[in-house]
Amino acid sequence: MSRLGLRRVPSLSRREHVAEILREAITSGRLKPGDRLVELDLAAELGTSRAPIREALRQLEQEGLVASYPYRGSEVLGVSQDEVEQVLVPIRITLERFAFDKALDKLTDDDLAELQRLVDDMLVAASAGEAERLADLDIRFHELVITRSEQRHCLQMWKTIQPRVRAYFRRDAPAHADTADVARQHQELLDVIRGGDRDAVLDAVERHIHIHLAPGGAGGGDVG
């Protein structure tokens, strides 16, 4: 392990591995908003050249996790609770209510089975304490339904905000007294989807997205 506790990059990996390592460090809070990211220092920390570091920082800048400034280099942006409450949650509610409405009649038995597999995998990830995997599964659950809506503009908007959404999923996961709650809340949503009542589904989607704003601090309920 390096001085910052970051795992070193495997020799055959490049931008994707560097981006994954830095993304996890940002969303877990080990790298905090305002921390400077110096290419030379990161290259030494991760045991790689500066080129994949530079490419990874560009990727993370596009994801909204890093900002680059002339003569100052890059620094961590992170995800603030104000951004979650005032920007990401309202966007998600509007986008996902519309997408889930359009997807409801298009979801096949195979789609519902895949959503159930994702929920089951969430339970496994929660039991193993794998917060990163739990966030990935959460994203995949929502993205599957949005994709099935066949609303390309919705999917495009989702892809734009997805890195920020994933960041707050990952950030909030440790706040759960029991991370299995994430799986249970997705199971509840899936059960309503299976019921096929459109109004009930739209209400459930909004409740599901709002749960993390419940009392008990950032991430007091479901991560997503």
Side-chain angles (χ1 to χ4, degrees), residues 70-83:
Y71 312 111
R72 288 170 51 192
S74 301
E75 67 180 44
V76 174
L77 286 181
V79 181
S80 71
Q81 190 62 17
D82 280 346
E83 180 189 358

Side-chain angles (χ1 to χ4, degrees), residues 126-143:
S127 298
E130 297 175 341
E132 191 79 9
R133 183 164 176 246
L134 190 60
D136 288 339
L137 292 164
D138 201 332
I139 285 289
R140 288 170 58 191
F141 183 101
H142 291 268
E143 190 163 302

Side-chain angles (χ1 to χ4, degrees), residues 15-218:
R15 173 181 57 85
E16 292 83 2
H17 280 85
V18 174
E20 177 189 350
I21 291 167
L22 294 177
R23 188 186 297 110
E24 192 277 333
I26 292 169
T27 56
S28 68
R30 282 188 292 120
L31 287 174
K32 302 184 183 305
D35 283 354
R36 290 192 63 212
L37 300 172
V38 180
E39 289 181 15
L40 194 60
D41 293 345
L42 289 172
E45 287 279 342
L46 300 176
T48 187
S49 67
R50 293 178 63 177
I53 300 290
R54 188 177 307 115
E55 293 167 359
L57 289 175
R58 288 198 194 102
Q59 178 177 332
L60 294 176
E61 184 174 13
Q62 291 174 352
E63 295 178 8
L65 297 177
V66 165
S68 296
Y69 303 100
Y71 312 111
R72 288 170 51 192
S74 301
E75 67 180 44
V76 174
L77 286 181
V79 181
S80 71
Q81 190 62 17
D82 280 346
E83 180 189 358
V84 171
E85 295 181 14
Q86 303 301 322
V87 180
L88 294 174
V89 164
I91 290 174
R92 285 191 63 202
I93 288 173
T94 300
L95 188 157
E96 293 191 48
R97 275 176 57 93
F98 181 81
F100 275 63
D101 180 35
K102 297 297 184 183
L104 194 56
D105 296 329
K106 298 181 176 72
L107 289 168
T108 66
D109 289 343
D110 286 346
D111 292 331
L112 294 174
E114 177 60 21
L115 290 171
Q116 185 63 63
R117 279 192 290 272
L118 291 172
V119 173
D120 294 343
D121 286 347
M122 287 179 197
L123 276 174
V124 175
S127 298
E130 297 175 341
E132 191 79 9
R133 183 164 176 246
L134 190 60
D136 288 339
L137 292 164
D138 201 332
I139 285 289
R140 288 170 58 191
F141 183 101
H142 291 268
E143 190 163 302
L144 190 155
V145 180
I146 293 169
T147 300
R148 292 299 181 267
S149 75
E150 298 179 358
Q151 302 295 310
R152 295 178 65 181
H153 61 289
C154 283
L155 185 58
Q156 183 179 28
M157 291 176 64
W158 169 258
K159 292 288 191 182
T160 299
I161 67 168
Q162 187 249 60
R164 307 292 289 166
V165 172
R166 185 187 182 284
Y168 88 76
F169 284 2
R170 176 62 181 83
R171 182 203 68 178
D172 289 355
H176 295 274
D178 181 1
T179 51
D181 284 345
V182 176
R184 286 191 283 267
Q185 289 155 4
H186 283 82
Q187 185 67 64
E188 291 172 5
L189 178 57
L190 178 54
D191 290 344
V192 176
I193 291 171
R194 282 196 175 108
D197 184 316
R198 193 172 304 276
D199 290 338
V201 169
L202 298 184
D203 288 345
V205 168
E206 185 161 350
R207 286 197 309 273
H208 180 86
I209 295 172
H210 262 305
I211 287 175
H212 82 286
L213 298 178

